[in-house]
């Protein structure tokens, strides 16, 4: 913290969650005057963003001081959905929640309470902490069909490589692109992701642009012609959901043309011959017919990627949302192993939480380390989905979301009585089959919503609403890869409390014997111990620190140095000690040990009759630079840039349907229909429409039946639940359902 | 003082809207007022689709004189996520332009 002119102080901190909304990581300088945030500047000394910032953080003052922000705890005064609330004190809120949830625990068991979060933000840490203190194994991204967001990719990497890997843009080095250890990738496959408006999974999207400036050639796999696709050597405009087939065809070319890294495959991998045999059925000819991508382009893409070294793949969430997401992820991950690009400069670098500090448990191992093996094991037995899906039982701590919503409705095998819903707008956001989730949540005896604004979920189902602090208001920490960083408080707004603060207080009440921390800072300092640093020390250093050379969370080639395995031997943290093309873990989990392709639940191949009625593929979820999922629609500077819920429809398709640019249309299938404004463009495939998700109108009536307009515009009403992969993870059909589009005569 | 300007390398401008909002924050411009505005140009050539973005400094752009006199780059240039904007004397920027295709130089004032 330093003083600037005119009594303005500047606080250097790290961005994570409310405010920016995103997966975080950027360094910022918060300008504070008389206790009020007046301006945000990028921190040029922070290696993550080097002074740069996205529009959402630059509009932070409009978010933090928005007139609609929740500023104090409230309890419901009328019926659910009536929008009547009474202000209460934090003491009353905590007392009520403690009493109610203890009653439920006594009567039905702790597992009858769901602890619901949204995407991967500064919530996984505090909410799993609360769930485990309370004693519930049901930590869940409720609504996210198939848990189809990064977990399938993480599971595939964990099973086959023993670790997670990401595109290497020098992010593990303070000097970044100038670090002597780093080399830019010569080729990057941007696979099912648009890095420009997004910073997914602890990766800043524009790092790809910096690699391009340094010579990286790009191959884009996307059903849309994105900006990135327009700058690519090869654009594979594939049918949504067919990514697995494409990956297997590329492996076919790489193996059969002997373009793989023989030395790496020989010394560091297991199951190559089995993989070789498996990929034979995925010829470029056959896969061209499956994916719509021309055969020559598939072959050329495989050659360009395999002949460039180092080369890297930057992938996105559509991989998880493919049918059999965990096997699609496996197939793609095999490409970087076949080509020997794992943990080398400019390749796919192994990513571990910085210094081994756990903020957000990414594996069962981390949960066990935090909460004890016996306790975690006991809870896992009761976790929803764990008995059906060995991967759900053995990888991470998530309950299976499709089964969780069904269990609320059926009470089978045990009743669900309450939901703790923290910074997730289930009904306006990730929930597939929105109506089913609405009915399920309504059925529960007690719901608490913690958030920054009222939203369709809080209005429809909350009994108690708690105001969450934004990142400039909170103390937190972050080890999502590197650097290790802390979130430093600069201001106070209303009576808002951070997620950590709220959950620590309740955890102490639920489990006074086990929770010894008296303050959030004490908890953070305890968790920071592996790094030998305290919160205050990191805050004084500008809020971040990189792991040193030789640490297992620092690249490169750790498999040669014995830095990956607990026994200190060279190799990978897998059962065979090698990268497993034929996965022992998948075998143990009753899954095909080798990757394969499966058709989407609705498609031109699987359901040709349905296609006659609904001839277009509805892909949802394209990102906007100014929104994060269902957030920011109420921020004036954001909304003016992206004002309407649109549907992207190809110029020729629109002409055939008599739809003009800017006209309102219905997008519909057997599950329902929504209204959207047509954006007529050549950039989307003629047989696909793109429907951005997360839309609600904060400016309209929040009460029932309107609920900020979700029943009119929320595209997830058209998405089914229950399409999860055989592993339990992946397969949410957010990008592959069939639909039709027709003109709406009257505007909304 | 020599004329200053903005050089934009539109090979790398991704259309992320950072410059627009950085400018709005810096000058506290309300909704509907822009110091810089990103234009999207989507065209179909004979064999492909091209997508380009060009940020255009408007009459409300003062080249962030309040910042540059302190030695700080204009808000848009500093925060540009693609790092594709340069601020400086036009004479200097032209030298960069001679070497780099897909650039455009604005001298708004």
């Amino acid at each position: 913290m330093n003083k600037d002119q005119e009594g303005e102080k500047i606080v250097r901190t790290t961005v994570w969650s409310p405010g920016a909304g995103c997966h975080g990581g950027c360094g910022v300088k918060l300008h504070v005057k008389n206790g009020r945030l007046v301006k945000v500047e990028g921190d040029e000394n922070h290696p993550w963003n080097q002074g740069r910032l996205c529009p959402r953080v630059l509009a932070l003052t409009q978010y933090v001081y928005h007139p609609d922000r929740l500023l104090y705890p409230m309890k419901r005064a009328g019926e659910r959905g009536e929008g009547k609330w009474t202000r209460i004190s934090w003491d009353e809120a905590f007392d009520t929640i403690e009493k109610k949830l203890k009653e439920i625990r006594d009567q039905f068991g702790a597992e009858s309470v769901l602890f619901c979060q949204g995407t991967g933000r500064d919530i996984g840490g505090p909410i799993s902490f609360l769930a485990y203190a309370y004693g519930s194994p049901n930590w869940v991204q409720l609504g996210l069909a198939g848990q189809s967001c990064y977990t399938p990719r993480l599971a595939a990497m964990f099973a086959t490589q023993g670790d997670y890997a990401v595109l290497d843009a020098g992010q593990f080095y303070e000097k970044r692109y100038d670090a002597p250890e780093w080399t830019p990738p010569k080729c990057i496959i941007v696979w099912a992701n648009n890095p420009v408006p997004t910073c997914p999974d602890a990766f800043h999207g524009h790092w790809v642009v910096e690699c391009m400036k340094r010579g990286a050639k790009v191959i884009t796999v996307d059903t849309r012609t994105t900006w990135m696709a327009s700058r690519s050597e090869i654009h594979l405009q594939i049918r949504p959901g067919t990514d697995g087939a494409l990956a297997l065809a590329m492996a076919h070319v790489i193996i059969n043309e002997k373009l793989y890294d023989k030395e790496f495959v020989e010394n560091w991998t297991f199951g190559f011959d089995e993989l070789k045999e498996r990929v034979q059925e995925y010829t470029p000819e056959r896969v061209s017919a499956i994916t719509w991508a021309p055969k020559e382009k598939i072959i050329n893409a495989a050659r360009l990627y395999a002949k460039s070294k180092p080369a890297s793949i930057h992938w996105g969430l559509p991989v998880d949302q493919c049918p059999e997401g965990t096997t699609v992820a496996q197939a793609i991950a095999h490409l970087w192993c076949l080509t020997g690009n794992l943990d080398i400069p400019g390749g796919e670098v192994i990513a571990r939480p910085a210094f081994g500090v756990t903020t957000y448990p990414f594996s069962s191992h981390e949960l066990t380390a935090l909460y004890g093996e016996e306790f975690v094991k006991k809870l896992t037995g009761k976790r929803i989905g764990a008995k059906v899906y060995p991967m759900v039982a053995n990888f991470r701590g998530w309950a299976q979301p499709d089964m969780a919503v069904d269990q609320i409705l059926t009470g089978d095998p045990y009743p669900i009585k309450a939901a703790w819903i923290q910074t997730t707008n289930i009904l306006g956001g990730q929930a597939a089959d929105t109506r089913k989730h609405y009915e399920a949540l309504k059925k529960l005896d007690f719901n608490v919503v913690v958030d920054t604004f009222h939203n369709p979920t809080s209005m429809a189902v909350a009994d108690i609403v708690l105001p969450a602090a934004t990142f400039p208001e909170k103390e937190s920490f972050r080890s999502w890869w590197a650097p290790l960083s802390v979130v430093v408080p600069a201001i106070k707004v209303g009576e808002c409390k951070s997620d950590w603060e709220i959950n620590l207080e309740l955890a102490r009440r639920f489990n006074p014997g086990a929770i010894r921390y008296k303050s959030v800072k004490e908890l953070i300092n305890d968790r920071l111990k592996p790094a030998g640093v305290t919160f205050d020390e990191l805050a004084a250093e500008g809020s971040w620190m990189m792991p040193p050379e030789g640490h297992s969370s620092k690249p490169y080639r750790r498999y040669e140095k014995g830095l990956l395995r607990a026994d200190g031997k060279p190799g990978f943290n897998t059962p065979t000690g090698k990268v497993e093309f034929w996965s022992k873990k998948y075998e143990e989990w009753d899954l095909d040990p080798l990757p394969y392709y499966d058709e989407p639940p609705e498609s031109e191949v699987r359901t040709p009759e349905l296609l006659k009625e609904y001839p277009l593929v509805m892909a949802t979820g394209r990102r906007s630079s100014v929104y994060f999922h269902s957030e920011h629609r109420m921020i004036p500077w954001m909304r003016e840039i992206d004002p309407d819920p649109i549907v992207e429809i190809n110029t020729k398709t629109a002409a055939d349907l008599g739809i003009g640019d800017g006209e309102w249309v219905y997008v519909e299938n057997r599950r329902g229909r929504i209204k959207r404004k047509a954006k007529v463009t050549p950039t989307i495939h003629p047989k696909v429409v793109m429907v951005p998700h997360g839309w609600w109108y904060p400016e309209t009536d929040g009460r029932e039946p309107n609920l900020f307009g979700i029943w009119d515009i929320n595209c997830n009403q058209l998405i089914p639940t229950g399409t999860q992969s055989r592993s339990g993870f992946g397969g949410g059909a957010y990008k592959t359902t069939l639909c039709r589009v027709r003109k709406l005569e009257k505007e909304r | 003082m020599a004329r200053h300007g903005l050089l934009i390398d539109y090979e790398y401008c991704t259309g992320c809207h950072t410059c627009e909002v950085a400018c709005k924050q810096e000058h506290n411009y309300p909704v509907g007022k822009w110091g810089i505005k990103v234009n999207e140009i989507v065209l179909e050539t004979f064999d492909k689709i091209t997508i380009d973005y060009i940020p255009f400094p408007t009459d409300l752009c003062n080249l962030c004189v309040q910042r540059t006199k302190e030695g700080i780059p204009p808000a848009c240039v500093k925060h540009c996520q693609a790092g594709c904007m340069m601020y400086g004397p036009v004479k200097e920027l032209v030298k960069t332009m001679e070497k780099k295709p897909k650039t455009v130089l604005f001298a708004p004032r």
Side-chain angles (χ1 to χ4, degrees), chain A residues 17 45 74 282 284 459 467 558 570 581 623 627 726 730 737:
Chain A
S17 309
N45 293 317
M74 288 184 290
Y282 297 95
M459 281 302 224
R558 279 159 281 187
F581 293 129
R623 301 301 195 248
Y627 299 135
R726 289 178 188 90
T737 59

Side-chain angles (χ1 to χ4, degrees), chain A residues 34-220:
Chain A
N34 301 323
R36 202 176 159 87
L37 178 71
V38 291
K39 189 159 104 170
V40 185
E41 288 267 333
D43 183 350
E44 46 288 281
N45 293 317
H46 198 293
W48 184 281
N49 53 313
Q50 301 181 311
R52 304 169 191 191
L53 281 181
C54 74
R56 295 187 315 278
V57 177
L58 290 162
L60 190 64
T61 52
Q62 288 195 338
Y63 189 108
V64 169
Y65 300 115
H66 195 286
D68 295 342
R69 249 197 91 182
L70 295 168
L71 297 176
Y72 39 78
M74 288 184 290
K75 66 178 176 190
R76 179 165 58 79
E79 294 297 308
R80 281 182 184 164
E82 273 193 326
K84 291 181 184 160
W85 305 95
T86 307
R87 178 175 178 170
I88 54 174
S89 67
W90 274 104
D91 283 341
E92 184 184 341
F94 284 137
D95 290 348
T96 310
I97 294 164
E98 181 186 354
K99 181 168 175 286
K100 196 77 198 166
L101 290 184
K102 277 183 172 170
E103 279 168 16
I104 290 171
R105 184 168 65 180
D106 290 346
Q107 208 181 335
F108 301 98
E111 63 274 16
S112 65
V113 179
L114 303 183
F115 289 81
C116 311
Q117 72 162 78
T119 183
R121 305 187 281 190
D122 189 12
I123 185 61
I127 200 169
S128 51
F129 179 76
L130 180 61
Y132 280 74
Y134 180 74
S136 172
N138 290 321
W139 170 32
V140 61
Q141 283 188 278
L142 190 71
L144 181 64
Q147 192 71 32
S148 304
C149 179
Y150 209 26
T151 296
R153 280 174 287 157
L154 290 171
M157 291 188 284
F158 174 79
T160 61
Q161 301 165 21
D163 264 288
Y164 313 127
V166 296
L167 181 148
D168 182 23
Q171 64 267 47
F172 294 88
Y173 290 90
E174 197 174 324
K175 291 185 182 158
R176 296 299 308 264
Y177 315 109
D178 298 328
E181 297 88 347
W182 182 73
T183 323
K186 291 200 173 89
C187 170
I188 293 174
I189 306 182
V190 173
W191 197 309
N193 182 256
N194 185 11
V196 167
T198 63
C199 298
D201 315 323
F203 187 95
H204 193 280
H206 278 78
W207 293 344
V208 175
V209 178
E210 290 304 320
C211 293
M212 288 161 71
K213 288 181 188 172
R214 288 161 179 79
K217 289 180 177 166
V218 179
I219 298 165
T220 296

Side-chain angles (χ1 to χ4, degrees), chain A residues 622-640:
Chain A
R622 79 98 172 93
R623 301 301 195 248
S624 166
S625 296
V626 295
Y627 299 135
F628 195 78
H629 294 302
S630 69
E631 289 199 65
H632 301 101
R633 301 304 188 288
M634 73 293 282
I635 308 303
W637 286 338
M638 304 292 95
R639 188 69 179 273
E640 74 171 321

Side-chain angles (χ1 to χ4, degrees), chain A residues 372-431:
Chain A
E373 192 170 354
E374 208 166 303
F375 182 65
V376 170
K377 213 170 161 183
K378 193 179 106 192
L379 257 56
T380 300
K382 291 180 184 168
R383 186 186 304 146
I384 296 169
K387 285 197 171 69
V388 181
Y389 298 112
M391 190 186 271
V392 172
N394 292 292
F395 177 70
R396 297 196 85 176
W398 297 120
Q400 210 292 328
D402 304 75
M403 294 178 73
V405 69
D406 285 346
Q407 189 168 330
I408 299 175
L409 293 166
T410 62
D412 181 35
Y414 56 81
I416 303 295
K417 290 290 169 187
W420 172 269
I421 299 167
Q422 194 163 17
T423 52
T424 175
N425 171 8
I426 298 166
L427 302 178
Q430 65 192 8

Side-chain angles (χ1 to χ4, degrees), chain A residues 41-42 53 213 231 640, chain B residues 11 18 24 52 67 78 82:
Chain A
E41 288 267 333
L53 281 181
K213 288 181 188 172
R231 297 294 187 274
E640 74 171 321
Chain B
E11 182 180 357
T18 276
K24 280 171 178 281
D52 291 289
R67 291 169 68 99
K78 176 184 169 177

